[in-house]
Each structure stands twice: as C-alpha cells, then as structure tokens.
Amino acid sequence: MTDAEYEAIAARFSDDGLDGSPADTQVVSAGVGLTVAVRAGVTASVRGHAWTSGDSTVTLAIGANASGSTRVDRLVLRLDRSDWTVRAVVKAGTPGAGAPALTQETGSTGVYEIPLARVTVLNGAASVTVAREELYVGSRLIPCRSSSRPLMPRQGDHAYELDTGRVILWDGSAWKRIYSDSGLVDITSPVSVWSSEAGSVLQERNGTVSVRLGTWRRTGGTLDNNTDSRLPVLIPAAYRHPTRDQSCLVYITGLNIGRCIIYAANNGDGKAGQVWLTNKPTIATGTTLVPQSGLSWVVD
C-alpha cells in the first residue's frame, strides 16, 4: 500500500486533531523572546498520519516584525506529502492582514494543515502573545440499536440508534438523549362513556413530550361530581413522565371547569399513561369537555 492509498483510507476513520480536550493545558505557549514553546507529551493525527511532540518541550522561532503593522502567524501541524511527515510549523502571516489561511490540499501531493495556535507579533516586538486554536479529535457517531448500545463507551461518545432514530451521548455515567423526534403520535384510546370530538396527539422531540388533548363529549349516563372518570386518551409507555403526574384544566359546557390528571409511569393503581377527569361538577350526558393546550414534560 502506498502512502497516498493509506491516507485515503485512514483519513476516514482517524479524524484530524489532537488527542485530548480543550480542558487540557494549552499545547502552544509564548516562549522567551520571539519564540513559542510546544509542550511535551502531545499526540495528534493529520489525515491518518501520527504526530507527537516528544518527551521534552519544543521551541520554535518566530520571525521579527519591523513592518509597521501587527502580524498574526499561525502554528500548524502540517502533513507534507513530499516525505509523508507531520511537523509543527510556524506559518507566517502578512502584516495587517490577519492570520494566514490553512492549506488543506487533498490528493497524493501538497500539504495539509490543522491549527494549533495563533501568534500575535506587534511591530518591533521583543516577545509574542499566543491564543489557543487547537483542533481536537472528536468521538465517532456509533451506529447501534436501543437494545445493543456500546458496552464500554468513553465520555463524549455519540451513538445513533437505528431502530429509534435517536442520537445519544455518553456523559461518563449514563446515555443522554440529544436528538429524537417521534413525529405526531395518535394517543386517542376509546372508552365506552366518552366520544372523541377531536383527536388527541403528542410529539416527542429531544426528550420533551408536547401534548394536545382533543375534545370529548359525554355519551354515558350522568357522571356524579364525586366520581372520577377515565377519558379516551392513553399515553404510550415511552412518552410517560417516569415519576410525576401531570394536571390540566378543562372547560366544561355551562361555564364550569374541572381538572384532568395524566398519570405517570410509576402509578401503582394500574393507571399509568391514562387520563382521568376529576375535581368537577356533576356532568350530564351530552356535556362537552375542552382541555387546555400546551402540556409538556421531560421523559429523558
């Protein structure tokens, strides 16, 4: 395999950047006079080719600036395909023009650069200032199913569940949902004593469930004010709040109000996900209920 062929393969499975995170000590700092120091013990990958700063600090010289304008240089990691090596290189800027652009040539010749730091050199300066600009290797998006998530994830790992469409993040102790979208879910569930005049739906997005309850008409006999009644709605298990019941007001024909309770997943009376009418006046056959809109809760 040639170096060019290796790069074509390795650049796909080995992202460009340093091994670590922005929480680490900065890689490049101002040295003595017109120099910068690259700290020891740093490793990186550029287009699949490895780089290490070695076991001791590396000092690199910065050119003097007598132009009359401030100059901004860049320190980069450069893959040079003339010898297939990766080195830390000072890339001088043009006075008054800002930092120089990165060169990222693809193919079997040329160079490819990723940033480490910006170095500001004032006119006539005897020292420099350094601003961090490290690029770090990110975690891969791992394909999986909700029943077979990665067994030994590292903090920051992402996974995509093929069966649910969810994107999840390992925070070091648990998987957290960062993207999901259920689309509209019909939650109408017929009961014999109520008819649905308008359907009830929900949508879960990124761990938050939003519910629009429909309207209902009493088709059974008169409902006593002291008797609760189940309404024609059922929240599917995946969208129930794990521990907290939800309440909402409901308008009742005749300028009356009542209360609906949406029972949480941990309900011990067999009502999990059900919606019940309570705290109301006596309700006659033919009475219409119109619940409030805008219910939402977090499920993950």
Side-chain angles (χ1 to χ4, degrees):
M1 178 180 290
T2 67
D3 285 288
E5 291 170 336
Y6 172 78
E7 180 186 340
I9 297 171
R12 177 63 187 89
F13 63 71
S14 178
D15 289 338
D16 295 333
L18 304 172
D19 183 15
S21 83
D24 297 341
T25 302
Q26 68 187 78
V27 174
V28 182
S29 57
V32 177
L34 295 177
T35 67
V36 293
V38 181
R39 70 176 174 87
V42 184
T43 57
S45 174
V46 181
R47 299 286 292 174
H49 291 74
W51 171 84
T52 178
S53 62
D55 297 330
S56 58
T57 300
V58 176
T59 300
L60 298 175
I62 303 295
N65 181 16
S67 67
S69 299
T70 297
R71 191 185 77 231
V72 180
D73 298 345
R74 258 198 169 112
L75 196 69
V76 301
L77 289 183
R78 176 183 292 162
L79 168 65
D80 186 340
R81 296 189 185 91
S82 65
D83 58 5
W84 298 98
T85 58
V86 178
R87 295 183 176 88
V89 176
V90 176
K91 187 169 187 175
T94 300
L102 297 172
T103 300
Q104 294 190 330
E105 299 169 318
T106 57
S108 59
T109 60
V111 300
Y112 193 96
E113 300 168 341
I114 65 170
L116 288 178
R118 293 192 183 203
V119 182
T120 299
V121 189
L122 300 178
N123 178 58
S127 62
V128 301
T129 58
V130 174
R132 300 183 67 161
E133 202 177 33
E134 302 105 335
L135 175 67
Y136 287 91
V137 175
S139 296
R140 285 290 184 185
L141 189 64
I142 306 166
C144 67
R145 296 189 181 276
S146 57
S147 59
S148 58
R149 292 172 172 175
L151 295 178
M152 300 181 67
R154 297 175 60 185
Q155 188 171 18
D157 278 353
H158 290 64
Y160 172 68
E161 295 178 344
L162 299 177
D163 54 328
T164 66
R166 294 182 298 199
V167 178
I168 53 178
L169 165 73
W170 181 255
D171 70 357
S173 60
W175 287 105
K176 299 295 184 181
R177 185 183 328 194
I178 58 174
Y179 171 78
S180 58
D181 189 343
S182 68
L184 288 179
V185 178
D186 185 356
I187 54 175
T188 301
S189 180
V191 295
S192 61
V193 293
W194 295 95
S195 66
S196 293
E197 304 297 291
S200 299
V201 296
L202 66 74
Q203 184 167 5
E204 178 275 325
R205 182 172 291 173
N206 303 339
T208 297
V209 173
S210 299
V211 175
R212 190 213 68 185
L213 296 174
T215 59
W216 311 292
R217 185 169 60 86
R218 180 71 179 177
T219 56
T222 298
L223 178 63
D224 184 81
N225 67 318
N226 292 318
T227 303
D228 294 349
S229 178
R230 182 181 173 186
L231 296 168
V233 180
L234 180 63
I235 308 298
Y239 307 119
R240 299 167 188 169
H241 193 284
T243 59
R244 294 186 178 89
D245 299 337
Q246 310 294 318
S247 296
C248 74
L249 295 177
V250 58
Y251 166 77
I252 303 171
T253 301
L255 300 178
N256 293 306
I257 61 171
R259 181 167 73 109
C260 292
I261 299 177
I262 303 173
Y263 286 99
N266 67 341
N267 180 268
D269 298 325
K271 297 180 179 179
Q274 297 178 6
V275 181
W276 284 69
L277 177 65
T278 185
N279 302 106
K280 67 199 182 306
T282 296
I283 293 177
T285 301
T287 298
T288 298
L289 308 183
V290 181
Q292 74 180 82
S293 298
L295 294 172
S296 64
W297 58 84
V298 175
V299 292
D300 187 18

